[in-house]
Amino acid sequence: MTDLQNELQLSQIVNFPTHGNNTSDLILTDLNDFYNPPIPLAPFGRSTHLTVLWTPKSSLAPTHETTTAKYRPLTHLAILAFGKWLVHYLWVEVFTVPDVQTKWNNYLSSITAAYHHFFPEKKIRRHPADLPWITDKIKRLMQPRSHAHQTGNTNLYKSLRNKVIREIKLAKRNCYPDKLQHLKESDSSKWYGQIKQLCGLNNKSSTLPCLSHLTRQAAADEVSHHFVSICQRLPRLDVTNLPTTAPTIHEHQVCRKLQQCRTKRSATSIDIPMKLLKEFAPQLSTPLTSIFNASLQQAESPLDWKTSYVTPVPKTPSPTSLDQTRHAVSITPLPSLMRAS
C-alpha cells in the first residue's frame, strides 16, 4: 500500500476507524484540496462497517433544492387528549352569537387552536433525489437511528436500524402494486408515465405553457378569473320555487354525514383531518348543527365556504389559453359540502 501511494503520489485521508478499531475502508486520492475531510456515518443495513461520507467543497458541490414538508402526526395519545377536550368543551362562543359568519369564525378559531395544541407541527426534509418508495415514515425513523449511532447507544441503534430495514423492504414491496399495477390495465398511458418517473426519465414541467411567463400569484389570479367567468355565465337561481321557511337540521343528521366522510378526501387548509372528524363526529356535530341552521335561516354562507381550490388540467399537450384547460380538481371546505347535501 505504501509503495502504491508513493508511486502515484496519493494520500490516505480516512483517519478514523471504520470497522471496530481498524480503518479498513480507505480513500486514496490526490484531490485533498478540492474535498472536505471525510466523516463517519452509520452503516448501511446490518453491515458492521461504518459509511464514509466524502463531499466536495462548496465550489464543486451540486446544487439540489431540498424542500421542507410540515405535518402534524396523529398519535394515539394526542387523539385521546383531543377527544377529552372535545367532550368537555361547551362551544359558548358558537351558541351565543346569531350571525352565521361570526359563528363560523369562532368555531374555526377554537377547533384550529385545539388542533394545533394537541397535534404540534413537525418538519421533514425532502430531496429531489429521494427514491419513489422513500416515505415520510422511513425518514422519521432514520433521524433517531442516526442520533442513536452518534451517541453510542448500541442497543437502541440496532433496534432502530432493524426497524428501518423492515420499513424499507415493505415500502419497496408495496411501491409498484400500490402506485402502478392497477394503471397497467386501467390506463396504460399513466402507467408508462409513472414508470418513466420511477426511472428518473420524466422531467416534464407541470407549469402550463400559457402561464409560464407570469409570476405564481399572477398565474393564480388568471386561473381564478377564468373559471369564475365561466360560473357567471350560468343562469341565476329561481328563488320563487324555494320553500318559504328554512328547513331545520338535526344533530344526528350532521353526525351521520361526518361518519360517512372518506378519510382520504383532499382537505383544505382550514379543515382538520378527516380521521378526527369521523372519530369525534358526535361531539363536532353539535356546533356544526348550530352553524348550518343559522346559515339556512339567514340564507347566507360564510366566506370560507364559497372558496374553492382549483387545479387546472390541460386538455391539449401545450395549451395556448385557459380555454384549453379544465378544473378536474376542485376542493372546498367540508362543511360547505355537508350543508349543500
Side-chain angles (χ1 to χ4, degrees):
M1 180 65 70
T2 305
D3 294 339
L4 178 63
Q5 291 179 234
N6 295 335
E7 180 70 22
L8 300 178
Q9 297 182 354
L10 303 176
S11 59
Q12 205 292 106
I13 61 171
V14 180
N15 55 4
F16 48 82
T18 59
H19 188 219
N21 296 323
N22 302 318
T23 305
S24 56
D25 299 87
L26 309 179
I27 297 179
L28 302 176
T29 183
D30 59 354
L31 300 176
N32 299 23
D33 296 336
F34 300 98
Y35 283 78
N36 297 313
I39 58 176
L41 296 179
F44 281 122
R46 293 187 175 88
S47 172
T48 56
H49 286 258
L50 296 184
T51 304
V52 179
L53 177 63
W54 191 37
T55 59
K57 292 183 178 179
S58 58
S59 60
L60 297 177
T63 56
H64 296 295
E65 293 185 2
T66 58
T67 58
T68 302
K70 300 177 182 179
Y71 69 101
R72 298 181 183 274
L74 303 181
T75 62
H76 180 66
L77 292 178
I79 292 176
L80 291 178
F82 181 71
K84 184 177 180 180
W85 173 83
L86 274 179
V87 169
H88 295 93
Y89 197 68
L90 301 178
W91 299 104
V92 177
E93 71 278 17
V94 175
F95 299 131
T96 55
V97 294
D99 179 60
V100 62
Q101 182 66 53
T102 307
K103 281 177 174 285
W104 170 251
N105 291 341
N106 292 345
Y107 164 80
L108 190 61
S109 176
S110 299
I111 198 69
T112 303
Y115 174 57
H116 290 178
H117 172 72
F118 292 104
F119 304 96
E121 183 181 86
K122 294 189 176 182
K123 298 179 180 179
I124 191 167
R125 295 180 63 188
R126 292 198 176 104
H127 194 275
D130 286 343
L131 296 172
W133 44 264
I134 291 292
T135 62
D136 291 347
K137 184 177 181 180
I138 293 176
K139 282 181 172 286
R140 290 196 297 269
L141 290 174
M142 286 180 173
Q143 294 173 354
R145 181 202 62 176
S146 301
H147 183 264
H149 178 267
Q150 294 171 359
T151 55
N153 193 335
T154 306
N155 293 332
L156 178 60
Y157 165 72
K158 290 182 178 180
S159 173
L160 294 173
R161 176 201 63 185
N162 295 338
K163 195 170 184 179
V164 169
I165 292 174
R166 288 194 298 269
E167 287 296 329
I168 288 177
K169 288 182 178 179
L170 180 63
K172 285 183 176 180
R173 188 165 60 245
N174 294 337
C175 181
Y176 181 83
D178 290 348
K179 295 185 177 180
L180 300 176
Q181 194 169 22
H182 67 284
L183 293 176
K184 193 170 185 179
E185 297 181 357
S186 61
D187 195 328
S188 57
S189 62
K190 288 185 179 180
W191 175 85
Y192 183 70
Q194 290 290 331
I195 288 294
K196 289 178 63 179
Q197 184 176 357
L198 286 177
C199 299
L201 302 176
N202 191 2
N203 297 322
K204 186 177 179 181
S205 175
S206 59
T207 305
L208 293 174
C210 56
L211 300 176
S212 58
H213 63 286
L214 300 175
T215 63
R216 292 175 61 91
Q217 184 60 47
D221 292 340
E222 189 72 19
V223 171
S224 177
H225 294 155
H226 171 71
F227 289 121
V228 167
S229 65
I230 296 176
C231 298
Q232 289 175 344
R233 301 172 198 162
L234 301 175
R236 292 180 176 274
L237 180 66
D238 185 6
V239 296
T240 58
N241 296 327
L242 296 178
T244 55
T245 58
T248 301
I249 297 178
H250 302 284
E251 287 187 20
H252 67 88
Q253 295 173 303
V254 177
C255 180
R256 185 169 63 252
K257 285 290 184 181
L258 289 174
Q259 292 172 338
Q260 293 173 351
C261 291
R262 292 181 292 109
T263 55
K264 293 185 178 181
R265 177 191 180 275
S266 298
T268 66
S269 58
I270 64 174
D271 284 325
I272 65 173
M274 300 300 154
K275 180 178 179 180
L276 297 180
L277 288 174
K278 293 189 67 172
E279 182 80 15
F280 303 107
Q283 291 78 22
L284 292 173
S285 61
T286 302
L288 287 175
T289 300
S290 175
I291 297 172
F292 291 153
N293 285 326
S295 175
L296 292 173
Q297 293 166 6
Q298 299 170 25
E300 185 178 341
S301 296
L303 294 178
D304 290 334
W305 297 6
K306 304 174 186 179
T307 302
S308 178
Y309 298 82
V310 176
T311 301
V313 178
K315 298 178 183 177
T316 60
S318 298
T320 57
S321 67
L322 288 175
D323 290 330
Q324 297 175 343
T325 64
R326 57 188 177 88
H327 54 95
V329 181
S330 181
I331 307 173
T332 54
L334 179 67
S336 65
L337 297 179
M338 294 177 58
R339 178 187 177 279
S341 59

